[in-house]
Amino acid sequence: AACQRTLPRQMPHEEPPPPVPVMLNIYDIGTSGEVKMINRVLRPLGAGAFHCGVEVFGTEWSYGDYERGTGVFMCRPRICEGHTYSESVNMGKTSMSEDEFKTRMKTIEVRWQGADYDLLKQNCCHFCDEVLSLLNVACIPARVTNLANAVFSPRKLRRTCVVVAICTALAKN
């Protein structure tokens, strides 16, 4: 018989994709030297004013304040317009395929609308943390989100405001 109705004993299987590195690219907000200086002072205290993006599959993904449509955008790694690149943090490796990642990002883009951007509650750092979770790698370092999180803790906020005020005064002199 030329036809066979039973399945072969072993199903052909695809090799899983090799693990791909995931980086968190951290920027000083804006391009002025003032923020860079403030971040230099705040960094030892575990805080700062940062923009960040997740680099995977040769592209950097982030989130911003856009009037219409999704706030999700992509750019060349470590070259996010309007911000000053500071450092990259290795977040581990993902076993997710590039196709699966792009499919899931389309779903995320719908939820992360630009008009919903909130400097303290829904910003690029929160977005990056969700993407890192999706990729099943490390969480975003606390120091990247500590300044925004300090607002929800009055004690931390007072201490952070004093440091920011001092740094701002020093930057102007």
Side-chain angles (χ1 to χ4, degrees):
C3 296
Q4 182 178 350
R5 294 185 57 101
T6 59
L7 294 173
R9 290 180 190 205
Q10 288 187 344
M11 295 295 292
H13 66 282
E14 292 183 25
E15 289 291 318
V20 177
V22 178
M23 303 298 288
L24 180 70
N25 295 327
I26 302 171
Y27 300 79
D28 294 317
I29 290 179
T31 56
S32 78
E34 292 174 357
V35 173
K36 188 174 185 174
M37 190 183 96
I38 289 169
N39 281 346
R40 234 182 290 141
V41 173
L42 291 176
R43 182 165 284 149
L45 302 173
F50 302 110
H51 170 77
C52 56
V54 174
E55 179 182 345
V56 65
F57 302 111
T59 302
E60 183 173 314
W61 296 80
S62 194
Y63 172 72
D65 180 8
Y66 293 96
E67 202 171 302
R68 293 189 186 133
T70 185
V72 176
F73 66 91
M74 51 189 182
C75 62
R76 289 187 16 226
R78 299 171 302 284
I79 306 176
C80 186
E81 188 177 325
H83 302 291
T84 306
Y85 173 76
S86 177
E87 66 176 305
S88 295
V89 178
N90 185 340
M91 303 306 290
K93 293 185 177 188
T94 184
S95 58
M96 184 179 292
S97 73
E98 185 171 5
D99 288 340
E100 183 181 355
F101 175 72
K102 287 181 178 178
T103 299
R104 290 189 176 191
M105 287 303 292
K106 287 179 183 175
T107 302
I108 288 175
E109 286 178 343
V110 173
R111 286 187 294 121
W112 287 83
Q113 294 296 300
D116 296 334
Y117 183 94
D118 181 284
L119 186 60
L120 302 175
K121 297 177 187 172
Q122 186 169 326
N123 61 37
C124 58
C125 299
H126 300 107
F127 170 79
C128 286
D129 203 32
E130 182 171 328
V131 173
L132 293 169
S133 175
L134 169 77
L135 292 166
N136 199 28
V137 294
C139 297
I140 197 166
R143 68 180 174 82
V144 177
T145 58
N146 274 350
L147 193 59
N149 292 342
V151 172
F152 298 106
S153 166
R155 186 171 166 212
K156 285 183 181 177
L157 177 59
R158 281 193 302 274
R159 185 175 51 216
T160 304
C161 287
V162 168
V163 172
V164 170
I166 292 168
C167 292
T168 304
L170 289 172
K172 290 181 180 178
N173 292 332

